[in-house]
Amino acid sequence: MTMNANAEDAPTASVLRYAAFTRDGQGGNPAGVVLDADALDDAERLRIAADVGYSETAFVDASSDRTYRVRYFSPLAEVAFCGHATVAAAVALAERDGPGDVVFETLAGLIPVQVAGKGADLTATLTSAPTRTRPAEIEELDTALQALNWSHDDLDVRYPPHVAFAGNDHLIIAVSSRARLADLNYHFEALSRLMEEHSWTTVHLVHAQGPSDFAARDPFPPGGVVEDPATGAAAAAFGGYLRELGMLDLPARVTVTQGEDMGSPSRLVVDIASDDERVQVTGAAERIPANSPGHPG
């Protein structure tokens, strides 16, 4: 990801930086957070997100009742929903105002978030929009596999390719080999065109390490990022996929590990109920220190 050393100098906003879905205090997915962003127009938000250079920056409008309007911008465009930036924003608010329940009004609908813990041990649990899923069409799957340099022989037949939704759409492809998942060398432009055509936010590539334990990778060309190290929205969509396809005895808790192959290990905990179309995703978030390599300041 490209960072801009001048992001701290943006005159219109103070940008906080967090790593969300960290694992044992390491890794995670960096997100920008701008609190009290009401005065910023769309052009300013997009410029700030581009300056920050992370896959998403969350812009939180002020509120007095713990309900906040939140919008998410990648360096290239606004996105309807972002899980890791939601976790980052909720933890930022908890550090300022104290832990508890908040509600985010997003383009994907109302997203309740519970923040628990204190100090450096804060965790956030988001409740997704209602999930849905459909089988991937042969043509779109074939085009995706070609862009990924993968073949049908690589697929895990237990987990059929689907397009799943939990605020935005993600193509889910499961492979039978962890080595195949680790060997990700895809055609950026080709996958970007396909994802733009179908309005997919990421391609959620998974390998089942156990019935409730999955490794994942998420190419993210629409955000101008080769790969996302932790994708809460995709994890929520995947949870809905597992429920609808009857892959688990419910209620169930699933662990998704992501970012390992890019040196940013992340953990996402997905809770799936038997009587709710929504999915909960939990993760930790930590402030990125100003002297960290992940901080452009």
Side-chain angles (χ1 to χ4, degrees):
M1 289 178 287
T2 300
M3 310 297 180
N4 188 319
N6 295 322
E8 288 286 352
D9 298 328
T12 56
S14 175
V15 181
L16 306 174
R17 293 169 174 82
Y18 287 82
F21 296 115
T22 52
R23 192 169 78 193
D24 301 323
Q26 303 296 318
N29 193 357
V33 177
V34 178
L35 301 179
D36 300 333
D38 308 62
L40 301 175
D41 63 23
D42 288 6
E44 289 173 310
R45 295 176 192 229
L46 185 59
R47 177 188 59 76
I48 291 168
D51 283 346
V52 172
Y54 296 155
S55 57
E56 276 96 3
T57 293
F59 294 84
V60 183
D61 291 349
S63 171
S64 59
D65 61 358
R66 298 183 73 87
T67 296
Y68 303 86
R69 184 168 182 257
V70 182
R71 296 172 65 191
Y72 309 91
F73 286 77
S74 81
L76 298 180
E78 184 173 12
V79 297
F81 177 67
C82 172
H84 81 278
T86 292
V87 167
V91 168
L93 288 167
E95 288 182 346
R96 188 187 71 179
D97 303 329
D101 296 348
V102 295
V103 176
F104 288 174
E105 296 179 346
T106 76
L107 294 180
L110 296 179
I111 305 296
V113 189
Q114 301 169 312
V115 183
K118 59 182 179 179
D121 297 322
L122 290 169
T123 62
T125 299
L126 68 88
T127 300
S128 75
T131 62
R132 61 177 183 265
T133 188
R134 66 164 176 85
E137 298 176 1
I138 292 297
E139 183 178 355
E140 61 192 12
L141 175 61
D142 286 346
T143 304
L145 291 175
Q146 185 177 13
L148 291 166
N149 293 311
W150 288 1
S151 75
H152 285 268
D153 292 338
D154 294 315
L155 304 185
D156 187 336
V157 297
R158 298 173 298 170
Y159 299 92
H162 265 231
V163 175
F165 174 90
N168 38 34
D169 285 321
H170 306 264
L171 174 66
I172 295 174
I173 301 177
V175 290
S176 56
S177 164
R178 181 65 180 88
R180 175 75 279 182
L181 184 66
D183 184 20
L184 181 62
N185 182 21
Y186 71 91
H187 295 291
F188 186 92
E189 294 299 332
L191 192 61
S192 180
R193 287 193 299 270
L194 177 66
M195 294 173 70
E196 182 179 3
E197 177 184 352
H198 295 287
S199 298
W200 298 335
T201 298
T202 71
V203 176
H204 193 55
L205 308 173
V206 299
H207 168 66
Q209 302 177 131
S212 59
D213 181 14
F214 296 85
R217 302 187 74 172
D218 280 70
F220 185 34
V225 176
V226 172
E227 182 177 358
D228 215 20
T231 316
F238 184 57
Y241 160 93
L242 293 172
R243 181 186 57 241
E244 185 157 327
L245 271 64
M247 299 292 189
L248 300 165
D249 292 330
L250 300 178
R253 170 166 286 186
V254 168
T255 299
V256 177
T257 54
Q258 194 178 332
E260 289 183 341
D261 298 296
M262 57 185 299
S264 189
S266 307
R267 179 187 293 116
L268 304 90
V269 177
V270 182
D271 285 297
I272 308 161
S274 59
D275 58 351
D276 194 338
E277 294 181 343
R278 303 174 301 171
V279 170
Q280 291 188 320
V281 181
T282 299
E286 298 187 12
R287 187 82 69 97
I288 297 175
N291 61 352
S292 166
H295 193 297

